[in-house]
Amino acid sequence: MTVPPHPLPKQHQRVDNTRLGITSMLLSVLFFSVMNVLAKLLMDRFPVNEVMFFRSLFALIPVCLVIHFANGFASTLRTRYPWGHLGRSMIGLSAMVATFWSFHLLPLGDAISLNFAAPLFLTALSVPLLGEKVGIHRWSAVLVGFAGVLIIVRPSGDVLNLGAMLALGGALCTAIAMIAIRQLSRTELPNTIVFYFTLLTTVMTGLSLPVSWITPGPLDLLLLLATGLCGGGGQLMLTRAYSLAPAAVVAPLNYASLLLAVGFGWLLWGEVPTGTMAAGAAVVMASGLYILYRETQRGTTVTKPLPAGEGD
């Protein structure tokens, strides 16, 4: 899936606007948080593949609108690496399946906390997959972060179950998807990557619908529409945030999604976070922020950490 380095044209290079970048990131966190809540609600009545199909299908609406009013479809859809997009989409789809399923099986706050292990997996995988050098500081942060994961899942108790394993599997697939995005973004526009991921996941999940289909009612269709619009809008806002402001500024704002997840979980499902979950989440977030700090200090390109539940 390796893409040769080939810089983007000058007209597509970034012009910083930190204030607008922060606003875009906060909107992205809000959109994705609402999407996660709607997905958890819908999966009480519908299979995960059906929810994901409608999430991807309706996400095409805002994605196509942005492409139409930005660079147009002719330039945006042009790609020299269709197999790269297919591979990235399959990895991202695996991340979405695992993460969405974990929402159904775990309290929302726990699932989101475990998904924050993605930057830790990314740091570990960047050595064999990207040939990057990781120093003692970042390796130490990875080990501390995984200690935080162990605090959350308590492997000696009852918490290391299918839901926790799916959440961690989703985080691992998200990290691999980040690496694929890092490679593709050397030559592909952000909107190109988003479009092909959304289109291909719609097709792939659509092929699975005959296996398990439950006909949605009018209210369910509205909720499914809202899920897709929030997912597409969140992805576009995320892309916009990183195009307008440095990663070191906007990336930490992603952790606000944990506060929203805990709040929604408490209001809608009566899920009260435990002390161990809070402690483990704090350790995982601290290690992730330290890794981000070290990469920024070294002057490396920081891969965009996706919000929990997004493997794009």
Side-chain angles (χ1 to χ4, degrees):
M1 199 184 301
T2 303
V3 177
H6 204 37
L8 290 171
K10 285 186 177 180
Q11 63 267 31
H12 299 312
Q13 293 177 0
R14 189 180 75 188
V15 177
D16 281 357
N17 185 330
T18 302
R19 182 178 298 178
L20 190 56
I22 291 173
T23 302
S24 299
M25 188 64 179
L26 291 175
L27 285 173
S28 170
V29 168
L30 178 61
F31 282 142
F32 280 127
S33 296
V34 173
M35 181 200 74
N36 293 338
V37 168
L38 292 173
K40 185 175 175 67
L41 286 168
L42 287 163
M43 283 186 292
D44 287 337
R45 302 189 300 279
F46 298 96
V48 62
N49 63 310
E50 186 172 343
V51 175
M52 289 180 54
F53 167 74
F54 284 108
R55 175 257 181 265
S56 300
L57 176 67
F58 290 131
L60 283 170
I61 298 173
V63 170
C64 289
L65 284 174
V66 168
I67 290 175
H68 174 71
F69 289 107
N71 302 316
F73 286 93
S75 61
T76 301
L77 302 189
R78 188 180 301 115
T79 178
R80 291 178 292 167
Y81 303 102
W83 292 110
H85 286 286
L86 178 61
R88 174 266 181 279
S89 297
M90 293 180 67
I91 296 166
L93 177 61
S94 299
M96 286 178 62
V97 170
T99 305
F100 274 30
W101 197 357
S102 72
F103 291 165
H104 180 59
L105 298 174
L106 290 176
L108 192 59
D110 288 24
I112 297 296
S113 298
L114 292 172
N115 196 261
F116 283 142
L120 311 180
F121 286 124
L122 173 63
T123 300
L125 291 172
S126 65
V127 176
L129 296 184
L130 293 176
E132 296 181 356
K133 293 182 179 180
V134 177
I136 186 64
H137 291 279
R138 285 193 290 164
W139 275 124
S140 300
V142 169
L143 293 175
V144 170
F146 281 118
V149 171
L150 292 177
I151 293 173
I152 298 172
V153 302
R154 299 194 298 277
S156 60
D158 299 328
V159 182
L160 187 55
N161 52 26
L162 179 60
M165 293 172 66
L166 284 168
L168 290 174
L172 175 60
C173 290
T174 297
I176 299 173
M178 290 179 188
I179 291 174
I181 291 172
R182 177 182 289 183
Q183 292 177 316
L184 280 171
S185 62
R186 295 171 182 172
T187 59
E188 306 290 279
L189 293 170
N191 285 344
T192 305
I193 300 173
V194 172
F195 174 81
Y196 281 115
F197 169 73
T198 308
L199 176 65
L200 290 171
T201 51
T202 301
V203 173
M204 287 186 283
T205 53
L207 293 174
S208 69
L209 290 179
V211 177
S212 56
W213 169 262
I214 298 176
T215 303
L219 179 59
D220 294 323
L221 275 176
L222 286 176
L223 293 177
L224 290 165
L225 172 63
T227 302
L229 293 178
C230 286
Q235 186 62 55
L236 291 167
M237 286 295 102
L238 178 73
T239 304
R240 183 172 175 79
Y242 280 97
S243 69
L244 291 171
V249 174
V250 296
L253 299 174
N254 183 39
Y255 289 111
S257 61
L258 178 59
L259 299 177
L260 290 175
V262 170
F264 282 130
W266 176 61
L267 288 173
L268 298 176
W269 293 281
E271 299 169 350
V272 180
T274 63
T276 52
M277 189 281 283
V283 172
V284 172
M285 287 191 291
S287 61
L289 289 172
Y290 185 72
I291 289 173
L292 176 67
Y293 166 76
R294 290 295 300 181
E295 290 200 348
T296 303
Q297 290 296 104
R298 291 170 63 249
T300 59
T301 301
V302 180
T303 299
K304 309 170 186 179
L306 299 180
E310 284 300 298
D312 340 354

